[in-house]
Amino acid sequence: MRQPIGHKTWAIAEGYIPAWSHGPAPEMTSHETVSILNAGDEDARVRIWVYFEDRAPIGPYELGVAARRTRHFRFNDLEDPEPIPKDTNYSSVIEADQPIVVQHTRIDTRQDANALLSTMAYAELRS
Amino acid sequence: MRQPIGHKTWAIAEGYIPAWSHGPAPEMTSHETVSILNAGDEDARVRIWVYFEDRAPIGPYELGVAARRTRHFRFNDLEDPEPIPKDTNYSSVIEADQPIVVQHTRIDTRQDANALLSTMAYAELRS
Amino acid sequence: MRQPIGHKTWAIAEGYIPAWSHGPAPEMTSHETVSILNAGDEDARVRIWVYFEDRAPIGPYELGVAARRTRHFRFNDLEDPEPIPKDTNYSSVIEADQPIVVQHTRIDTRQDANALLSTMAYAELRS
Amino acid sequence: MRQPIGHKTWAIAEGYIPAWSHGPAPEMTSHETVSILNAGDEDARVRIWVYFEDRAPIGPYELGVAARRTRHFRFNDLEDPEPIPKDTNYSSVIEADQPIVVQHTRIDTRQDANALLSTMAYAELRS
C-alpha cells in the first residue's frame, strides 16, 4: 500500500476573485479554486480559514474530500459561515485531518481573453 | 558524476482539459502537460494515477523516460487504460523507479488569445 | 492554538513591472504583487530588499503585517527608500520577524487581454 | 551578515520557446527566462544543461551572477555551445558554486494577447 501523500496544513497567500467576467457561465466566470487531492485510504475532513487585510479571519469552512478522490472547490461558491467578497484581497489556510495535496488556481475573464494563474500551495512541513 | 535530481513520488492537485480550442492544432489545442525530467543515468519507468471527484481513480498509465532525457506528456494523449475526459476536474500522482522532476502546465485557448499556467508539482520528500 | 505557519526568509527571483497598461486603473494597471500572510498571533515586521542586474540592492522597504491578517503589496507602490523602476529586471528578498507565507503575482495588461502569473515564493527552510 | 539564500542545484522540467510572436520586439517576443538571484557575498559561476526528448543533453552554458545581483537570462539568447531550438520540448538543470534562487518564466505572444507562466524552479535540497 502506498504511503500517504502530502501534508495536513497548507497556505495560499494570494487570493482575489475578480469582480466581473466575460464569456459563458460557469466555465468562463472569473473564479478562484482550491484543488485538494486526497490520495489516501481515509476520508479527509478539511477546514479552510480566510484572512483579510482589514478584518478578522473567517472560518472554518468545513469541507470533505473522500478517500482516493479530488475536489476542486471554487472560493466563489463557499457560503458557510459567509460568502467571500469579490474584488477583495485575501489569503487562506487549509487544514485536514489526513495528508492532502493543495493547489491554487485563478481564471480571470475580465477582458476579451481569459488569463490563468496556478501554483502549488505552501505545505507546512511540520504538519 | 552528478547526484540524482528529484524524487520518486509527485502529485498535481489541479487538472482540467478545456473542452474546446481556438487556433491551429496541435500547438494551440487546449491541453494539459506533465513534463518529466530524468537527469539521471538510469532509464525511469513512470506510472501515473488519475483521481476524480466522483469515481475511483484510473491507472496506472505506464510511461518511460530514458536516462538523461525529458518527456512532456499531454494528458490529452493518454489512452491506456482509458482516455481522460475533457471538461472534468482531476488530479494526478506520478511515481517513478528513479528520481525525476515534474512540472504541470496548461494551455487554454478557448477564447481569442491563449492563457497559460504552470507550477512545479508537489514532491513527496519522503520518496 | 495553531502552530505558526511559514518561514521568516523568502525570495522571489523573477521581478518585472511592465511599462504600460490597457484597461481601467487601478485594477487593470500592469503590476507585481507580493502577498504576505501572517497567520500567527504576533504582528510581523517585514523588510524587503530589491536586487538588480547592474547596481547594488536597495532597501529595506519596511512594512508591517498585523497578526491574523494578509497584505498584498504592489511593488509599483513601494516608495521608501525609492520607487522601483518599470521595464527593469529585479529580484526580491523578504524577511520578517515572525513566520509568514509569501506568494508572487504579476498582471500584465500591455496587450488587449491581461496575462497573469503566480508562484509561491522560495522559502528558506533554515529560517 | 545574512546567511546565504537558496541552493546550488535547481531543475526546470518544462521548457518550450514558442516559434512565433505578436507585438514589438524585444519585450513582446515569445521567450523563456531563467531568473537567478545571487543574494550572497560571493560571485556565482552558473552552469546550465539542457535536456531533450530525443537527443543527448547539451551544455554546460557557462554564466555568471555577481554577488548581490540578479540576472534574468533568456533561453532564446543562449548561444554557446549552441542555440536552443524553438518549438521544441526541453528541460534544464541549473548548477552554481554558490547558493542561488531560480525561477522560470515564459511569455507566449503567438496570439493577439500575451500569456504568461511562472514557477519557482525545483530546488534540490541535498545541494
Side-chain angles (χ1 to χ4, degrees):
Chain A
M1 206 178 76
R2 190 189 310 163
Q3 292 295 309
I5 299 177
H7 291 272
K8 293 182 177 176
T9 301
W10 295 75
I12 303 169
E14 174 67 57
Y16 178 82
I17 304 173
W20 74 93
S21 301
H22 176 99
E27 309 94 292
M28 304 313 288
T29 302
S30 290
H31 63 270
E32 287 223 326
T33 298
V34 55
S35 297
I36 302 177
L37 169 63
N38 175 9
D41 292 328
E42 302 287 336
D43 294 351
R45 292 191 303 175
V46 177
R47 296 187 297 175
I48 298 179
W49 279 264
V50 176
Y51 291 79
F52 296 97
E53 295 197 309
D54 54 5
R55 61 166 170 140
I58 55 176
Y61 295 89
E62 308 225 12
L63 306 166
V65 183
R68 297 175 296 280
R69 295 292 184 277
T70 185
R71 292 293 303 277
H72 297 201
F73 297 104
R74 289 191 182 197
F75 284 101
N76 307 40
D77 294 341
L78 298 180
E79 298 213 329
D80 181 8
E82 57 180 282
I84 296 175
K86 293 195 171 53
D87 194 23
T88 301
N89 292 326
Y90 65 91
S91 296
S92 53
V93 169
I94 300 94
E95 292 189 331
D97 61 354
Q98 302 291 331
I100 57 175
V101 179
V102 177
Q103 188 169 345
H104 168 232
T105 304
R106 184 191 301 161
I107 179 167
D108 176 345
T109 65
R110 290 176 294 181
Q111 294 187 322
D112 284 352
N114 61 314
L116 291 171
L117 66 80
S118 190
T119 182
M120 297 305 303
Y122 166 77
E124 182 56 64
L125 302 185
R126 296 178 284 257
S127 70
Chain B
M1 206 179 75
R2 192 189 309 166
Q3 292 295 309
I5 299 177
H7 291 273
K8 293 182 177 176
T9 301
W10 295 74
I12 303 168
E14 174 67 55
Y16 178 81
I17 304 173
W20 73 93
S21 301
H22 176 99
E27 309 95 291
M28 304 313 288
T29 302
S30 289
H31 64 269
E32 286 224 326
T33 300
V34 55
S35 296
I36 302 176
L37 169 63
N38 175 10
D41 292 326
E42 302 289 334
D43 293 353
R45 294 191 303 177
V46 177
R47 296 187 298 175
I48 298 179
W49 279 264
V50 176
Y51 292 79
F52 296 96
E53 294 196 311
D54 54 5
R55 60 167 171 141
I58 55 176
Y61 295 88
E62 309 226 11
L63 305 166
V65 183
R68 297 175 296 280
R69 295 292 185 276
T70 184
R71 293 293 302 279
H72 297 201
F73 297 104
R74 288 189 183 199
F75 284 100
N76 308 40
D77 295 339
L78 298 180
E79 298 213 331
D80 182 10
E82 57 180 284
I84 296 174
K86 293 197 171 52
D87 194 22
T88 301
N89 291 327
Y90 65 90
S91 296
S92 53
V93 169
I94 300 93
E95 292 190 330
D97 61 354
Q98 302 291 332
I100 58 174
V101 179
V102 177
Q103 188 169 344
H104 167 232
T105 304
R106 184 191 303 160
I107 180 167
D108 176 346
T109 66
R110 289 176 295 180
Q111 294 187 321
D112 284 352
N114 62 314
L116 291 170
L117 66 79
S118 189
T119 182
M120 297 307 302
Y122 167 77
E124 182 57 64
L125 301 186
R126 296 179 285 257
S127 71
Chain C
M1 206 177 77
R2 190 189 311 163
Q3 292 295 311
I5 300 177
H7 290 273
K8 294 182 177 176
T9 301
W10 295 74
I12 303 167
E14 174 66 58
Y16 178 81
I17 303 173
W20 73 93
S21 301
H22 177 99
E27 309 95 292
M28 304 313 288
T29 303
S30 290
H31 63 270
E32 287 223 322
T33 298
V34 55
S35 298
I36 301 177
L37 170 62
N38 176 9
D41 292 327
E42 302 287 334
D43 294 351
R45 293 192 302 176
V46 177
R47 297 187 297 176
I48 299 179
W49 279 264
V50 177
Y51 292 79
F52 296 96
E53 295 197 311
D54 54 5
R55 61 167 170 139
I58 55 176
Y61 295 89
E62 308 225 13
L63 306 166
V65 183
R68 296 176 297 278
R69 295 292 184 277
T70 185
R71 293 294 302 279
H72 297 202
F73 297 104
R74 288 190 182 198
F75 284 100
N76 307 40
D77 294 340
L78 298 181
E79 298 212 329
D80 181 9
E82 59 180 282
I84 296 174
K86 293 196 170 52
D87 195 23
T88 301
N89 291 326
Y90 65 90
S91 296
S92 53
V93 170
I94 300 94
E95 293 190 331
D97 62 355
Q98 302 292 330
I100 57 175
V101 179
V102 177
Q103 188 169 344
H104 167 231
T105 305
R106 184 191 302 161
I107 179 167
D108 176 345
T109 65
R110 289 176 292 181
Q111 293 187 323
D112 284 352
N114 61 313
L116 290 170
L117 65 79
S118 189
T119 182
M120 297 305 304
Y122 167 77
E124 182 56 63
L125 301 185
R126 295 178 285 257
S127 70
Chain D
M1 205 179 77
R2 190 187 317 169
Q3 291 294 309
I5 299 177
H7 291 273
K8 293 182 176 175
T9 301
W10 295 74
I12 303 167
E14 174 67 57
Y16 179 81
I17 304 173
W20 73 93
S21 301
H22 177 98
E27 308 95 290
M28 303 313 290
T29 303
S30 290
H31 63 269
E32 287 224 324
T33 299
V34 56
S35 297
I36 302 176
L37 169 63
N38 175 10
D41 292 327
E42 302 288 334
D43 294 353
R45 293 192 301 176
V46 177
R47 296 188 296 176
I48 298 179
W49 279 264
V50 176
Y51 292 79
F52 296 96
E53 294 196 311
D54 54 4
R55 62 166 170 140
I58 55 176
Y61 296 89
E62 309 226 11
L63 306 166
V65 183
R68 297 176 295 279
R69 294 291 185 277
T70 185
R71 293 292 303 276
H72 298 202
F73 296 104
R74 288 189 182 198
F75 284 100
N76 307 41
D77 295 339
L78 298 181
E79 297 211 331
D80 181 10
E82 59 180 283
I84 296 174
K86 292 196 170 53
D87 194 23
T88 301
N89 292 326
Y90 65 90
S91 296
S92 53
V93 169
I94 300 93
E95 293 190 330
D97 61 354
Q98 302 291 330
I100 58 174
V101 179
V102 177
Q103 188 169 344
H104 168 232
T105 304
R106 184 192 302 162
I107 180 167
D108 176 346
T109 65
R110 289 175 295 180
Q111 293 187 323
D112 284 352
N114 61 315
L116 291 171
L117 65 79
S118 188
T119 182
M120 297 306 303
Y122 167 77
E124 182 57 65
L125 301 186
R126 294 179 285 256
S127 70

